[in-house]
Amino acid sequence: MDTSYRLNNELEFNTDDMQSLQDAFCKANDMYVICVGKSHGQITSFSGSQAEEEFCDLKFSSEMKREIMDSFIDGTADNIVERFGTEEYLMYRGVAIRGAAGAFLGVWLCFGVDKNRIPEDKTIPENLKLTTLDAFDKSILLIETLTKYYFAEKIKTQTLKQQLLEEKDTEHEIKYKLKKNEIMTDILRLMESENSFSKISEDILREAGNYIGCTNTALLQISENDIDVDMILEWTSKDEEALISKFQQIPLMDLPFMNGKPYTISSDATLPEAFEIFFIKYGIKAAIFLPITVNDSTAMYLCFMNRGAERKWSVDDLRFANDIKRILHTLLVKKITTNSLASSYNALEVILQNAGYGIVVADLAQKQTLYTNDTFNHMFENEIDRLAIQEIIFDEKYTLPELSGYSANGSGKWFDISFNSIKWVDGRNVRMITFYDITDLRLYQKKVEKQAQEDILTGLYNRQTCEKDISLEFVVAKKLNREFAVLMIDLDDFASVNEGLGYSVGDDLLEYVAHSINDISYIKGKCYRVGGDEFAIIVDHDNIANLELIIKRIMNLFNNPWILNGQEYYCTMSMGCVKAPADINDATEILTRLNIALHGAKNKGKNRCEYYNEQSQEVMTAKVKMEQALRKAVEDDCKEYEVYFQPIMEFINGVPNCCGAEALVRWNSPEYGLVVPDRFIGQAEQLRLILAIGEHVMREAAKACKYWNDFGHPEYKVNINFSVVQLTQSDILDKIKSVIEETSIDPNNLTFEVTESMAINDMEWMTRILSAIRDLGCRVALDDFGTGYSSLNHIRSMPIDTIKIDKAFVSDMDSDNFSEAFIKTISELADSLDVDVCVEGVEIDKQVDMIGKFSVNLAQGYYFDKPLTREEFEKKYL
């Protein structure tokens, strides 16, 4: 019988040991204890008779057990929680079980009966364990001590096991790399030979075939008339497997892969009809077909084939095959043309002169400047700056990759400087220094950083700050056992102000409202603009007694006209109110109830204040009903959650070409129909169902992309959105690895998107987890950029490959100078950092024309295509 139990990915223990420890402890200390895991429920059984268990269940309610568990927080030092019941002689405690870094894994729920306080008229079961308060507390301290040492040893043992496994994996990987390096060294040595292309290629095919373990490697050449194909070279593991005699003057149309695209086809792949006929005809079970191009046209095909035995190609197989293709391509080009030193320098000069940043190439040994481009010369026209920068160029102490925030005193400009050691065209070792002018960005950054907490128009704090302050007030009020309140105000029919009087007048009204509310007594500094025409007010625990007065004064403001553009204008508002803590478990629930109360005020005719109350439960009932449907859909293997794909376009010479897609989930519910993410993702995150849904989307998206890669589009990538709930899971990297191994997809074709607001909440943690994802070979995109007003410096410090600019800036680009300047600034910064830029929400010709002016290479939106089912996407783009 398997009695092992895993509290999390790091900690595994024997339940029999835990049970024995508990039984002995309860008997020796005259108390009752059970062990409950954070995620997996009760671990140990009750230690005692049936009568004792029934008494404990009656007196120690499940609600109190849950309250004790919820009191523990990851990373804190609190290991003991005390709770009180309605009867003084009963004692309740919780002792935390913690893992690495203080992670809360579970709890010992402890229950005792104080024999000195049992009322005379109270009847208790016979043989019930009795103790005293002093003895009970000492026992609790002993449990805490034993737990610390017991689990510390378990974690240590588990860590050692993991290290041993990792060392074995590392040893295997080193052997694999050594073998590959030996093969590649031999192959590269062949390239230095003066033998013919045919002789060298023949040797390369032999070495490659032996290494990759296939039955046939071959080179196919297309005839000059583009009608026939000949196999010009072949290596086989067995002579009887040879195909070269059969592959002479084969009609091009009979070879379905000869279309300029690469194909990676494993034995378990579902083959299109043409491929199935071809594979059966030549007895092929698996194959890799890679085109070799010369002067932008396909000249040859490199083939790796398995005949007889089945084969599933790995990512390493595909990488090795592509390495061989590049070597053969280089060899072919080398035999066709010879590049001189002069032509290399001329080509390099053309490239560097057109770079948008300053370039200097210097020989440190000779103290000689070999090259400067025009951009550098313009950057440092000031003589003082030019002399100062010479010291940096030739100072060998600058060995770091970059020097950030260099201030040029003469001109007042700011620069980021990067240093690289390279080989110059004549073979000598030189230093290349790159200068990025960040002066405009430094000025812009100060403005943006100020906006991280403040609303630009009104000067009030924004939604992000409001949510943080609510969470802080919730914790304080709960500890003090006090109440506080949050108000949400929405201006009634505000759109009519903008439409009737103009947006500038509408902005004036918002400013007047904001300042008038903020100036009310007891509010100052606690008013926030949380939406277009929405304001929130926190009435803290010190001022809760004045809540009714505050509400009355706010409503009085709207009983009088506002003076707009010299005219009186009456504007009403709807208000929702929530008191907390009450029965609220966490701060996020406050905002949910606020929205319900506010909608209640709207539905009852507006111009009023509504408290969240029992009648609001109808909305909650509907929410619970949807939650149940969400849970059921997850339990059914997520079959109802369908993955749609919206094409992402790459601009090549101004022409948009599909380069992949963003995976978007849709809930095809029997009860609600096709539900878009906005209606269920928030609830799925709160219920943590997003973990199963997200893993389902990741797996299906990877499967689809692997199919596209294998059948002609190795460049296609798929973007997958990550929820913050997913990223905070300790096993998220294992799940990504599992999907990569299961699908054999090239990790570089997986791009994981995180939102800007998610990133700036904990930059250190986000940088660490995203770096780990990139270490797996995957790419990272920063989504919704611009909506969170994060510091531009974060872009440089975060490990990202793509910045996705939010559609709000694209839609306003033709009418809002700020939006246009924002896109221009970010695209230039991304270009200097070698980061892609993708604009979202492109819908009209004018937007396409405008983004064409910037360094933007990716775009998506309804202008190109809507989100499509996999079948629809493959029909249009494969």
Side-chain angles (χ1 to χ4, degrees), residues 854-868:
F854 310 130
S855 298
V856 173
N857 59 324
L858 301 171
Q860 68 183 103
Y862 276 70
Y863 176 83
F864 306 107
D865 219 327
K866 64 181 181 179
L868 306 168

Side-chain angles (χ1 to χ4, degrees), residues 463-474:
R463 185 183 188 91
Q464 184 180 344
T465 308
C466 176
E467 291 176 357
K468 289 181 179 178
D469 288 355
I470 289 175
S471 297
L472 179 62
E473 182 65 24
F474 181 82

Side-chain angles (χ1 to χ4, degrees), residues 69 84 137 172 175 293 307 316 403 446 536 568 750 768 784 858:
M69 286 198 68
F84 301 95
D137 282 336
H172 174 76
K175 289 180 179 178
T293 59
R307 302 184 67 203
D316 288 325
L403 180 65
K446 291 181 180 179
E568 292 185 348
L750 291 179
R768 186 167 63 252
D784 296 341
L858 301 171

Side-chain angles (χ1 to χ4, degrees), residues 73-143:
I73 302 173
D74 288 343
T76 64
D78 297 332
N79 288 327
I80 299 177
V81 165
E82 178 180 8
R83 287 294 180 268
F84 301 95
T86 56
E87 300 174 273
E88 289 187 359
Y89 71 99
L90 301 178
M91 300 173 290
Y92 308 90
R93 303 285 191 276
V95 180
I97 300 171
R98 297 191 183 276
F104 174 61
L105 307 179
V107 64
W108 293 105
L109 294 172
C110 308
F111 177 64
V113 180
D114 185 352
K115 60 185 178 184
N116 296 330
R117 296 188 182 184
I118 301 175
E120 293 181 0
D121 60 345
K122 180 66 66 175
T123 302
I124 60 174
E126 292 184 14
N127 301 320
L128 188 71
K129 293 181 176 67
L130 303 177
T131 184
T132 64
L133 176 60
D134 183 57
F136 184 73
D137 282 336
K138 288 179 179 177
S139 299
I140 295 299
L141 292 174
L142 180 57
I143 291 177

Side-chain angles (χ1 to χ4, degrees), residues 196-441:
S196 66
F197 172 78
S198 178
K199 173 57 180 168
I200 298 173
S201 299
E202 185 178 354
D203 294 337
I204 290 176
L205 290 179
R206 181 187 67 254
E207 296 286 353
N210 277 319
Y211 173 78
I212 208 169
C214 61
T215 61
N216 302 65
T217 55
L219 273 180
L220 305 183
Q221 182 172 321
I222 303 173
S223 63
E224 293 183 2
N225 57 15
D226 288 334
I227 296 176
D228 300 327
V229 176
D230 294 319
M231 184 179 289
I232 58 172
L233 293 170
E234 183 187 29
W235 169 87
T236 62
S237 59
K238 299 177 182 178
D239 291 340
E240 61 269 21
E241 299 284 348
L243 291 172
I244 191 166
S245 61
K246 300 176 183 178
F247 266 78
Q248 300 300 317
Q249 294 186 329
I250 302 290
L252 184 63
M253 61 184 297
D254 287 352
L255 304 178
F257 60 88
M258 296 285 284
N259 53 16
K261 298 178 181 179
Y263 291 87
T264 307
I265 305 172
S266 296
S267 299
D268 59 357
T270 303
L271 298 177
E273 183 179 357
F275 279 85
E276 187 172 7
I277 294 171
F278 171 74
F279 272 45
I280 292 173
K281 181 177 180 179
Y282 294 102
I284 299 171
K285 296 294 184 179
I288 298 175
F289 302 115
L290 302 176
I292 299 175
T293 59
V294 176
N295 297 327
D296 296 328
S297 63
T298 303
M300 296 181 180
Y301 253 87
L302 171 62
C303 309
F304 293 84
M305 295 173 284
N306 242 51
R307 302 184 67 203
E310 294 189 347
R311 175 71 176 266
K312 184 175 181 179
W313 304 108
S314 68
V315 174
D316 288 325
D317 291 337
L318 185 56
R319 287 175 179 165
F320 177 78
N322 274 288
D323 287 340
I324 299 301
K325 184 195 84 167
R326 283 188 283 270
I327 289 171
L328 289 171
H329 175 266
T330 302
L331 181 64
L332 183 61
V333 172
K334 181 181 178 182
K335 295 298 180 179
I336 294 174
T337 180
T338 302
N339 290 324
S340 66
L341 178 63
S343 64
S344 297
Y345 181 83
N346 291 336
L348 185 61
E349 185 176 28
V350 170
I351 294 170
L352 297 183
Q353 280 295 355
N354 288 283
Y357 35 82
I359 298 286
V360 174
V361 178
D363 185 334
L364 299 189
Q366 300 296 324
K367 298 294 182 184
Q368 177 185 6
T369 300
L370 303 178
Y371 175 81
T372 60
N373 68 352
D374 290 341
T375 305
F376 170 81
N377 295 329
H378 291 315
M379 283 179 170
F380 294 96
E381 291 176 334
N382 183 282
E383 188 63 30
I384 296 175
D385 293 344
R386 201 171 186 88
L387 290 173
I389 209 66
Q390 291 299 314
E391 295 183 14
I392 291 179
I393 291 173
F394 292 105
D395 193 335
E396 296 187 24
K397 75 178 181 183
Y398 291 108
T399 57
L400 295 173
E402 63 178 20
L403 180 65
S404 301
Y406 173 78
S407 175
N409 296 327
S411 61
K413 295 180 180 179
W414 290 83
F415 298 93
D416 279 354
I417 308 172
S418 66
F419 303 86
N420 290 282
S421 297
I422 64 170
K423 289 273 189 185
W424 193 230
V425 291
D426 58 3
R428 65 174 130 170
N429 294 319
V430 297
R431 167 186 278 183
M432 184 173 77
I433 307 100
T434 310
F435 297 83
Y436 305 94
D437 189 337
I438 60 168
T439 306
D440 291 340
L441 288 176

Side-chain angles (χ1 to χ4, degrees), residues 180-196:
K180 182 177 179 180
N181 287 340
E182 289 175 5
I183 294 293
M184 295 304 292
T185 301
D186 291 341
I187 290 175
L188 292 173
R189 191 177 293 118
L190 290 171
M191 292 183 64
E192 300 173 1
S193 168
E194 295 299 324
N195 291 332
S196 66

